[in-house]
Amino acid sequence: MSPPASDIVRFDQLAYRYPGGQDVLSGVSFSIAQGEMVYVTGPSGAGKSTLLRLIAALCRPTRGQLVVMGQNLSALKNRHIPAYRQHIGLVFQNFNLLYDRTVFDNVALPLVIRGYAYADIGRRTRAALDAVGLLNREKSLPLTLSGGEQQRVGIARAIVTKPALILADEPTGNLDPEMALEVMRGFQRFNEAGVTVMIATHAIDLIEALPHRIIHLEHGQITDKRPTAASQLGDRHGAR
Amino acid sequence: MALVEAGLERPGWLARLAQEHARVFFFSLGKLARAPLAAALTALVIGIALALPAGLYVLTRNLASVGYSWQESLQISLFLKDSVAEERGAALARELRAEIGVSKTNYISRAQSLADFKAQSGFGDALAILQDNPLPAVIAVTPNRKLGKAGVEELAARLGRLPEVDLAKLDQKWLERLYALLDIAQRSVGIVAILLGVAVMVIIGNTIRLDIEARREEVEVMKLIGAPDSFIRRPFLYAGFWHGLLGGLLAWILVAAGVQALGAPAEQLAQAYGSQFRLAGLPWTDGLALLGAGVVLGWAGAFVTVGRRLALIEPR
């Protein structure tokens, strides 16, 4: 069976083992269609981050196949990784901003790396900042912003190149619930504009508020179980 | 590879490269300007390291020019036998002017030698004790300038065989010793330059290494968002360039200041020897070479370090 051409990410019996020898993922198979929005859930240590890191070519599969945007990552040469990574927008829990540069410079960086003309960089960067509602803060330094605003800067940096795929690893982990919902709504808006979005998250209430397909990992494998909310855990505990 | 990224044309590679280098040029200069004390200290260390061989070089150049100027005033002294009459000696001096390789002769009679010696040596009273004049008559022969060292030696030997001549003396042993010393000095300049050049590379490499460590997170973020190694490396290479350029400039200033400071005493010394010698500074072409050496060493030191260091930083 050949996968549909519209698959943007395809895992095939993929296994990943830490150099130390501990299995993180084993026999993971799934695919994500172009334009989908997917949550990756599961307890801490289940392999959510590793899944996203594999797609971003931050680590290499131990066994199995991983094809992203038609590129088999096992065949990707080290020196081609930067060019490959430029096609993906990455959003992190700890924002990973450059704190000695302005918001504008942070967001513009991926465009500077690609070598666009300055006039175009200015236009695109302001468009991205506008999309996350931070156009008036372009001259600020990141540390003068709130956590939610910093994460929006991170998101603007991820979308400024208009990537086909956005990977977000616990993007709301450091945010209060209101800001978290705002950030998730932002991802949904980009998804509606046609971008494929994968979000690794613990935030069950957000998933329930904005439902999309869920890939649930436990002990390095995909299961049919569904993430449990903290409230339910409390109930079960109380029932005993 | 499927790409949604659309709507923008990238400029040609040459325009991209020019824009990127111009950006990093000013960006790295701005980094230095924001930490002027650290930049100044680095420049000082590099400047001193470069100034040492450059200063030695200036010194040997000056010694060599002293040697050349003395070689031009090189004379062959023909000590005449006491039996040669004064008229014959003077005639011989005139005859020798026609010889090939001789540009000038000067006859100094025994009486004149004695008078000169009395006037200049301060031993006049001691000589008065002697009954006879112990000094021989001398013909001072100035060889033609175009005559090489071997030519002058040959001329001296030839003139020494004249029947009237007791001894032909070409006092250039000390000149040979000076040249031997100069040769050693010039080689030492080369060795010192190589050693200190390596030192400059190590200094700059270490500065860049600390810089990379301080900006480790920045490098990680850059790698995460797909910056190629060349992009990450470039600001560090330019930092090496600036360190080297500033160090070279400082070395030039140090050498010029040193020449300035030694100029007056050197002139006094030269005057004491009746010489017109003046201490020469670093010619501007050599000064530019010094700047170039700083730039090349800075760039190379940064290149060696950055390549190794960046490979060690992988995003978590």
Side-chain angles (χ1 to χ4, degrees), chain A residues 34 53 58 68-69 71 82-87 90 92 96-98 100-101 109-118 120-121 123-124 157 161-164, chain B residues 1-11 16 19-20 22-24 27 31 34 215 217-229 231 314-316:
Chain A
Q34 183 114 41
R53 287 172 56 83
L58 289 164
V68 180
M69 293 183 273
Q71 169 74 52
Y84 164 78
R85 219 172 268 161
Q86 286 178 13
H87 297 300
L90 288 174
F92 311 90
N96 270 335
L97 301 176
L98 302 181
D100 62 340
R101 303 193 197 186
L109 192 56
L111 298 175
V112 174
I113 290 171
R114 284 162 182 73
Y116 288 119
Y118 281 154
D120 291 334
I121 288 177
R123 206 152 33 77
R124 279 279 277 273
R157 185 181 65 190
T161 56
K162 302 194 176 167
Chain B
M1 206 178 287
L3 258 185
V4 175
E5 186 176 318
L8 281 190
E9 286 287 310
R10 291 210 299 179
R16 282 211 308 272
Q19 174 178 290
E20 173 61 10
R23 183 186 72 81
V24 177
F27 173 80
K31 282 251 173 206
R34 260 171 279 154
R215 289 157 70 185
E217 283 185 25
E218 180 178 335
V219 171
E220 280 179 18
V221 170
M222 294 262 193
K223 287 197 170 188
L224 279 174
I225 61 178
D229 281 350
F231 181 89
E314 271 305 319
R316 281 156 295 175

